Amino acid sequence: MDTNITIALSGNPNAGKTTLFNHLTGARQHVGNYPGITVEQKEGCCLHRGQGLRVVDLPGTYSLTAYSVEELVARDFLVNEKPDVVVDVVDASNLERHLYLGCQFLELGVPLVIALNMIDVAENRGVTIDALTLSERLGVPVIPIVARTGRGVDQLLDAVLAVAATETRQQPAFLRYGSDVDEALSYMMPLIRECNELTALYPERWIGVKLLENDEQIVQKAAVSHPAAAVKLKERCETVTDHLQNTIGVYPEAVIADHRYGYIKSILHQGVVTRKFVADRLYASDKIDKVVTHRFLGPLIMAGVLFALYTFTFSYSKVLVEWLSSFFALINIGVDSLLPDGPLKSLISSGIIAGVGGVLGFVPIIMFMFFGIAVLEDSGYLARVAFMMDRIFHFFGLHGSSVMPFIVSGGIAGGCAVPGVMATRTLRSPKERLATLLTVPFMNCGAKLPVLTLLIGTFFSDHQARYMFLATLAAWFVALCAAKFLRMTVLRGASTPFVMELPPYRFPTLKGLAIHTWERTWQYIKKAGTVILGISILLWAMMTYPGLTHDRAAYFEQQRQQAQQAAVTASEAKELLNKTLQQIKAEEAMEGLRNSLGGRIGIACERVSQYAGIDWRTNIALLGGIAAKEVIISTLGTAYSLGDVNRNNTASLSERLAKDPGWNPVVALAVLVFIMFYAPCFITVICIAKEAGSWKWGAFSMIFNTLFAYSMAVMIYQIGALLYLR
Ligand code: GDP
Ligand code: MG
């Protein structure tokens, strides 16, 4: 197909871009990421009147100022790739707000067609929009459509082709921003003309507006392009800012925004929009919002909905998770019976199958969670949750939308940080998003719970429920404080104001939900799959090599033979022999582990960990816990079944720990706290690195969390030892 015409779909979030995109391109689409960042890039193609069209779905934005990654991505695409036509998808039932972005396209002077979407919703509300008059006033085609059903899409594409065929370039719209700003702009024009690199890309007046809005990217580009002019421009911007601050107490961006809205209002209010009903009629959405964002009822409903999502994610996916894990267990049994004992078998079963199983094991959870989130998002409820939680989270330097990742990661009890990290995608500001995804691993995920239960059950059995509840509270407290700390240090920066509007409630479509769910799940498989397999093999090697020395291996072999002979002569019961053989095998495995690289690290770490009362055996378990927290219990089990002189196999791990002289309630509490807060498991680390766009953040989370957990554990142990262990 000849696809030499590129059209970019843009618009506010929830305007219906993706619906239109899916309608246009169907299955002929491709989802990728913009280079280096996690903003999705969707592309597809379609055919109209024999003309191939390349369609790009830009991220949803409210403006074109570089306040968020999405906005920067959308803008850079428009400027660098110069699409032949920009289709601005606006929600006809919410026209005034949505035209704010359209207005900025006009200022930027891009070839524009406005798709007046959701005209059905507007009609249902008794709102009529005179598209023709609107089009005349704005100077660009305005085509009413219903993206869901495809109504009007042909006319839209006709208009697109017509715009693509015109030779004359769209002139940037000339808006007035009030005397102060206008005066500053005319002063700035000659200076802006000096910055050739900028004027080659953007209209002059637009550059001036961005400088006044303090747009980082443009300010920087100006400084590079013409340092001397940039200094003068900056001075002038500061003068206007000061002046506006002193006179009316607002920043230039607010003045500019007000004038844009004024421009839109003036266009709309002269007969473009007519309402059949009285203006103050409560629409269904507003009625629902009266209840749903009510001061007391709102949080209750929210708690219910979040709890439902949580239950849905973790209990319904359980069957699939179990099914997958038994499937992998089955493969393992197959491998076990087919291959002879040795490094190859160990590599396949502990390295590869465990790794692939680890990746795929999360798929059902992620799929269910994204489905649940897609329902909340598409229906419009998620925006309400964010709206209600924003005040509290704002205090900690986060955003209302951070609540979802926290809950999914285990904020209620038992969850998983992997989908939690991925759920941070609903956050728009990069710093708030980073702060959220770095702190969600502090929550008590489902894999930490058994360890907590074991330790609490063993050492604090009198107050089990209370301690579990305390552990949940502590996790929230630590996560929020850590977020605050990060936002005050490495992630310092202003919080984004709550610009998210409350979109009207809508019934999500199954097709939309399915596409949303699948593309995110697939991205996880693709992203995490390869890396996890590699690291899993690496960890396996660390726990296996160099293994036993020749002498020791021979020694164990000898032990085995002796046991067998003894069994023959003493005609001991077969059961007892098996037990002895198992014991020898476990002992051999333990010695191998101790001698492996991982084991040696565990032993070396004892020098540091002793201040927290943690011995080398626990260290190995904690090290294994970085592979997956589930490993902690099994490794502890192995480690503590071996030091036992009595070889009393029947004692449970809990009893063993209770009897072990190295353990007591103080140690248990220190270990407990350490496990709650130390380095996330490596699948989470990989997801953090991928989502944050840099391995630096993955490493940061491992080091930061471990140091924090360590200092907490040392503090608990030292104080506890002083008070109780004399
Ligand atoms: P995006 O954020 O701009 O990609 O918006 P989506 O395409 O995800 O659409 C948001 C919601 O609006 C979805 O629930 C759609 O089903 C719904 N929607 C999109 N277009 C229309 C339309 O023309 N009419 C109606 N009634 N709903 C629509
Ligand atoms: Mg979308």
Side-chain angles (χ1 to χ4, degrees):
M1 209 186 321
D2 173 27
T3 55
N4 48 16
I5 293 186
T6 299
I7 61 179
L9 300 185
S10 64
N12 290 15
N14 273 308
K17 281 183 312 318
T18 307
T19 312
L20 178 62
F21 179 77
N22 290 340
H23 182 85
L24 288 176
T25 61
R28 297 176 300 272
Q29 50 173 275
H30 158 87
V31 186
N33 271 16
Y34 287 93
I37 48 173
T38 52
V39 176
E40 276 176 12
Q41 182 182 39
K42 282 203 206 167
E43 253 192 68
C45 54
C46 72
L47 195 67
H48 184 67
R49 304 209 189 283
Q51 172 69 55
L53 297 166
R54 171 177 168 237
V55 189
V56 180
D57 187 16
L58 291 182
T61 56
Y62 296 101
S63 92
L64 286 181
T65 309
Y67 290 137
S68 74
V69 194
E70 283 85 357
E71 283 162 357
L72 207 57
V73 164
R75 189 167 95 188
D76 283 347
F77 186 87
L78 297 181
V79 173
N80 300 333
E81 311 253 330
K82 293 204 186 352
D84 297 284
V85 183
V86 176
V87 174
D88 180 23
V89 183
V90 299
D91 176 351
S93 66
N94 206 350
L95 198 53
E96 204 170 301
R97 285 209 71 138
H98 279 243
L99 275 182
Y100 184 71
L101 179 67
C103 177
Q104 296 178 58
F105 285 126
L106 293 173
E107 292 172 82
L108 187 56
V110 293
L112 191 69
V113 172
I114 291 183
L116 203 53
N117 192 29
M118 308 211 194
I119 205 76
D120 55 331
V121 180
E123 280 164 2
N124 283 342
R125 290 184 185 173
V127 177
T128 328
I129 296 166
D130 181 353
L132 225 63
T133 313
L134 183 59
S135 160
E136 273 166 17
R137 297 219 175 114
L138 291 172
V140 295
V142 177
I143 316 291
I145 65 163
V146 178
R148 244 192 203 183
T149 59
R151 187 179 126 194
V153 171
D154 274 340
Q155 287 90 314
L156 179 71
L157 290 180
D158 284 345
V160 165
L161 289 186
V163 168
T166 46
E167 298 285 321
T168 48
R169 267 195 67 79
Q170 176 86 24
Q171 282 305 308
F174 188 95
L175 264 68
R176 303 223 161 265
Y177 308 104
S179 54
D180 285 329
V181 172
D182 280 348
E183 209 174 285
L185 280 175
S186 42
Y187 170 87
M188 287 160 77
M189 281 311 128
L191 291 167
I192 288 173
R193 276 177 214 127
E194 304 280 328
C195 308
N196 294 326
E197 285 155 41
L198 274 179
T199 48
L201 290 174
Y202 312 95
E204 289 162 11
R205 198 171 157 85
W206 187 88
I207 300 170
V209 170
K210 290 300 134 181
L211 290 173
L212 285 170
E213 286 177 332
N214 206 3
D215 182 299
E216 261 175 50
Q217 193 196 36
I218 301 295
V219 171
Q220 261 173 24
K221 279 191 180 170
V224 174
S225 172
H226 198 297
V231 171
K232 280 196 192 154
L233 285 168
K234 188 163 179 251
E235 275 170 12
R236 182 68 206 215
C237 290
E238 278 163 6
T239 328
V240 194
T241 309
D242 287 346
H243 178 68
L244 288 173
Q245 277 285 314
N246 290 335
T247 49
I248 43 177
V250 295
Y251 284 97
E253 43 280 38
V255 175
I256 293 169
D258 280 350
H259 281 83
R260 280 188 191 132
Y261 275 119
Y263 171 77
I264 298 165
K265 266 209 175 84
S266 72
I267 284 180
L268 292 185
H269 282 219
Q270 300 157 19
V272 172
V273 182
T274 41
R275 292 174 197 277
K276 210 158 60 193
F277 309 128
V278 217
D280 62 3
R281 196 187 97 104
L282 278 185
Y283 298 128
S285 279
D286 298 337
K287 275 190 198 155
I288 300 176
D289 270 340
K290 277 245 146 131
V291 181
V292 164
T293 58
H294 184 269
R295 204 185 302 178
F296 303 113
L297 272 179
L300 280 181
I301 296 175
M302 178 178 77
V305 170
L306 292 181
F307 188 74
L309 170 82
Y310 180 86
T311 316
F312 169 78
T313 304
F314 291 101
S315 41
Y316 286 92
S317 63
K318 207 168 166 183
V319 183
L320 274 177
V321 171
E322 276 165 9
W323 189 82
L324 267 175
S325 87
S326 35
F327 174 71
F328 281 105
L330 212 68
I331 296 186
N332 243 339
I333 292 173
V335 170
D336 199 46
S337 59
L338 284 177
L339 291 177
D341 277 345
L344 181 67
K345 176 169 164 178
S346 170
L347 169 67
I348 292 181
S349 83
S350 312
I352 297 175
I353 297 181
V356 176
V359 177
L360 294 183
F362 286 104
V363 167
I365 302 183
I366 284 178
M367 237 165 70
F368 275 74
M369 184 204 60
F370 276 132
F371 185 83
I373 289 187
V375 172
L376 296 190
E377 204 176 357
D378 288 2
S379 66
Y381 186 69
L382 201 61
R384 271 77 185 177
V385 172
F387 174 76
M388 282 185 281
M389 295 304 288
D390 198 55
R391 272 260 195 94
I392 303 170
F393 276 72
H394 215 82
F395 178 77
F396 292 100
L398 299 173
H399 187 271
S401 308
S402 307
V403 70
M404 184 69 80
F406 277 112
I407 288 180
V408 171
S409 303
I412 300 180
C416 177
V418 173
V421 165
M422 298 185 72
T424 60
R425 288 188 186 174
T426 45
L427 280 145
R428 296 162 47 74
S429 136
K431 282 183 178 162
E432 286 167 351
R433 176 156 183 242
L434 261 178
T436 311
L437 66 81
L438 286 173
T439 48
V440 291
F442 285 132
M443 293 286 139
N444 292 323
C445 72
K448 287 185 208 168
L449 280 188
V451 197
L452 302 193
T453 317
L454 170 82
L455 293 178
I456 290 174
T458 308
F459 294 98
F460 311 99
S461 51
D462 295 344
H463 307 286
Q464 206 155 351
R466 200 175 310 163
Y467 269 83
M468 281 313 273
F469 182 68
L470 270 179
T472 307
L473 280 190
W476 275 97
F477 180 75
V478 167
L480 289 177
C481 290
K484 179 90 186 162
F485 172 76
L486 289 173
R487 291 288 276 127
M488 286 183 344
T489 54
V490 274
L491 298 176
R492 198 172 27 221
S495 309
T496 44
F498 194 85
V499 285
M500 218 160 140
E501 63 180 299
L502 299 182
Y505 289 100
R506 283 192 202 99
F507 262 106
T509 59
L510 209 58
K511 189 176 165 194
L513 292 180
I515 291 181
H516 266 149
T517 309
W518 173 245
E519 61 194 20
R520 290 172 182 177
T521 309
W522 178 236
Q523 255 183 27
Y524 162 77
I525 300 177
K526 243 184 359 192
K527 274 182 173 177
T530 42
V531 192
I532 288 175
L533 186 59
I535 294 195
S536 172
I537 292 174
L538 190 77
L539 271 169
W540 163 82
M542 265 178 70
M543 300 273 176
T544 311
Y545 292 102
L548 289 181
T549 56
H550 229 66
D551 296 353
R552 294 303 292 167
Y555 164 80
F556 281 111
E557 193 48 46
Q558 191 192 345
Q559 290 269 305
R560 246 191 293 270
Q561 275 164 14
Q562 269 176 12
Q564 248 143 7
Q565 275 160 17
V568 173
T569 49
S571 61
E572 253 178 302
K574 210 171 178 185
E575 208 177 313
L576 206 61
L577 172 67
N578 272 345
K579 230 177 200 176
T580 320
L581 286 179
Q582 257 171 24
Q583 186 71 36
I584 294 171
K585 193 171 174 185
E587 215 164 307
E588 190 179 10
M590 189 63 202
E591 203 173 309
L593 181 61
R594 209 185 148 153
N595 200 39
S596 71
L597 192 60
R600 289 179 199 193
I601 294 174
I603 293 167
C605 286
E606 201 179 45
R607 254 184 245 164
V608 185
S609 69
Q610 62 181 343
Y611 297 106
I614 302 175
D615 73 352
W616 72 271
R617 289 189 285 192
T618 315
N619 277 345
I620 297 184
L622 293 176
L623 204 67
I626 296 180
K629 306 279 169 194
E630 288 91 339
V631 172
I632 297 178
I633 284 202
S634 59
T635 317
L636 270 181
T638 333
Y640 278 90
S641 68
L642 292 161
D644 219 331
V645 254
N646 302 327
R647 295 197 169 172
N648 181 358
N649 265 334
T650 50
S652 71
L653 177 58
S654 168
E655 288 166 38
R656 268 181 228 276
L657 291 184
K659 270 192 288 181
D660 195 283
W663 281 79
N664 52 54
V666 175
V667 173
L669 195 64
V671 172
L672 196 85
V673 166
F674 189 81
I675 290 176
M676 275 173 67
F677 301 124
Y678 84 117
C681 70
F682 81 85
I683 303 193
T684 306
V685 173
I686 289 167
C687 285
I688 289 178
K690 293 280 175 187
E691 290 295 317
S694 149
W695 284 97
K696 193 180 76 183
W697 290 114
F700 177 86
S701 99
M702 292 187 76
I703 296 167
F704 177 77
N705 292 15
T706 307
L707 284 182
F708 173 76
Y710 177 69
S711 28
M712 292 296 290
V714 169
M715 206 172 74
I716 290 172
Y717 181 71
Q718 296 298 339
I719 294 175
L722 265 181
L723 295 179
Y724 301 106
L725 296 182
R726 262 175 306 178

